[in-house]
Amino acid sequence: MAKTSMKKMLEAGVHFGHRSRFWHPKMDQYIYGTRNGVHIINLEKTLPMFNDVLNFASKTAAAGGSILFVGTKRAASDIMKEEAIRCGMPYVNHRWLGGMMTNYKTIKASIKRLKDLEFLAEENFSQFGKKEALMMTREMDKLERSLGGIKDLGGIPDVVFIIDIGHEKNAIAESKKLGLPIIGIVDTNHNPEGIDYVVPGNDDSIRAIGYYAREIANAVLEAKAAAGTHTKTAVKKKAPAKKVEAPAATETKAKVEKKVEAKVEAPKAEAATTDLNGMLKAELVALAKEKGVEIASKDTKADIIAKLG
């Protein structure tokens, strides 16, 4: 069970709210007082709420779910990316594109384009002219900034974790539309309504943002490790003994031998295909020349593998 402490929160400056003249009345219940014109957040309320968030993140990760880390403002951008990568979760740290979740079909097409450009970049766009290669490189960099964090997501995330709910209004609107649980860091100048898991705290300090992201990433990693251990144990206990099929009485010796050969050849064919998929396009072209297989200049990697297969 993931837990944090009030000492860590104080060290990270989680208790420092926004300036008192910009406060939101619905955050009144989480405010302890005012000091030097700045609201102080009551950590006695923040601590149990953040522990609930950590437990929820652990359960999501243990069940194989995904948590989308969203933080596009300057203070959060690099931190969210680093922590999301560390715990193997998707992230958005540059700009939230309109319809990123509600219009996922279009986003999926852009992700496919990004992966195609990355494949061509493996050979430094050698089959294109200098100007075309430069334009493709720029396009790839642009797509990587916007979609690089979700290119391996494969669909809609299970949970959305947001830093600064006032800055990420589009992400919140789309999450609500799809009914996704939202974990939100809410400062004293924002309205906490509509956020499923509210964490009252400082959303401007780099130290505080790093604390939230790090704690959630740690909870995810611990849950994944525990889930992996349980799975391995269960497999060892429940794995049934392999049964050897006896040949039918009516089958001839020749038929039985053919079946055995087929079973042996199948894994070899699969291994060969896997090896080809791991090769670069240039290596596949060279292999095709050795085998005397004709390759057209327009053939993709998949086409070459099919011809070699």
Side-chain angles (χ1 to χ4, degrees), residues 35-47:
R35 183 179 177 185
N36 298 328
V38 175
H39 273 134
I40 303 299
I41 295 167
N42 189 349
L43 294 186
E44 288 183 354
K45 293 189 176 182
T46 301
L47 182 61

Side-chain angles (χ1 to χ4, degrees), residues 204-265:
D204 297 312
S205 163
I206 292 175
R207 186 183 296 178
I209 293 168
Y211 165 76
Y212 305 130
R214 185 170 56 254
E215 290 296 318
I216 289 179
N218 289 340
V220 168
L221 289 171
E222 287 173 14
K224 283 183 176 180
T229 306
H230 292 322
T231 305
K232 286 177 183 177
T233 307
V235 169
K236 285 180 182 177
K237 288 181 180 178
K238 296 181 181 179
K242 292 183 179 180
K243 294 181 181 180
V244 180
E245 293 181 4
T250 54
E251 288 182 344
T252 62
K253 185 179 178 182
K255 284 183 180 178
V256 174
E257 287 176 355
K258 281 183 181 179
K259 279 189 177 181
V260 173
E261 287 175 5
K263 286 180 181 178
V264 172
E265 290 298 326

Side-chain angles (χ1 to χ4, degrees), residues 57-79:
S58 295
K59 288 176 183 176
T60 303
S66 57
I67 301 173
L68 179 63
F69 284 56
V70 182
T72 60
K73 66 181 189 179
R74 189 176 296 178
S77 180
D78 293 338
I79 295 168

Side-chain angles (χ1 to χ4, degrees), residues 104-280:
Y104 190 71
K105 286 184 180 178
T106 303
I107 297 298
K108 193 175 181 181
S110 298
I111 291 172
K112 185 179 182 301
R113 174 62 177 164
L114 172 60
K115 290 185 176 180
D116 289 342
L117 289 170
E118 286 178 340
F119 173 72
L120 293 172
E122 288 181 359
E123 301 170 18
N124 296 319
F125 303 104
S126 56
Q127 55 187 316
F128 299 96
K130 189 176 180 181
K131 186 177 180 181
E132 285 179 308
L134 181 61
M135 290 175 69
M136 285 182 176
T137 303
R138 287 175 179 170
E139 183 185 359
M140 183 178 71
D141 292 341
K142 185 179 178 182
L143 288 170
E144 177 64 32
R145 282 196 301 274
S146 300
L147 303 172
I150 62 168
K151 64 183 177 183
D152 297 320
L153 179 57
I156 305 300
D158 298 290
V159 181
V160 181
F161 163 46
I162 296 175
I163 296 286
D164 195 340
I165 62 169
H167 192 267
E168 310 295 346
K169 290 179 181 177
N170 291 337
I172 290 170
E174 291 190 28
S175 300
K176 286 181 181 177
K177 196 170 184 179
L178 295 172
L180 300 176
I182 303 171
I183 298 171
I185 306 301
V186 188
D187 210 332
T188 54
N189 62 327
H190 293 307
N191 184 359
E193 286 186 350
I195 306 300
D196 301 285
Y197 292 87
V198 176
V199 179
N202 186 350
D203 64 3
D204 297 312
S205 163
I206 292 175
R207 186 183 296 178
I209 293 168
Y211 165 76
Y212 305 130
R214 185 170 56 254
E215 290 296 318
I216 289 179
N218 289 340
V220 168
L221 289 171
E222 287 173 14
K224 283 183 176 180
T229 306
H230 292 322
T231 305
K232 286 177 183 177
T233 307
V235 169
K236 285 180 182 177
K237 288 181 180 178
K238 296 181 181 179
K242 292 183 179 180
K243 294 181 181 180
V244 180
E245 293 181 4
T250 54
E251 288 182 344
T252 62
K253 185 179 178 182
K255 284 183 180 178
V256 174
E257 287 176 355
K258 281 183 181 179
K259 279 189 177 181
V260 173
E261 287 175 5
K263 286 180 181 178
V264 172
E265 290 298 326
K268 288 183 179 178
E270 287 178 8
T273 306
T274 305
D275 291 338
L276 292 175
N277 285 328
M279 296 172 68
L280 296 174

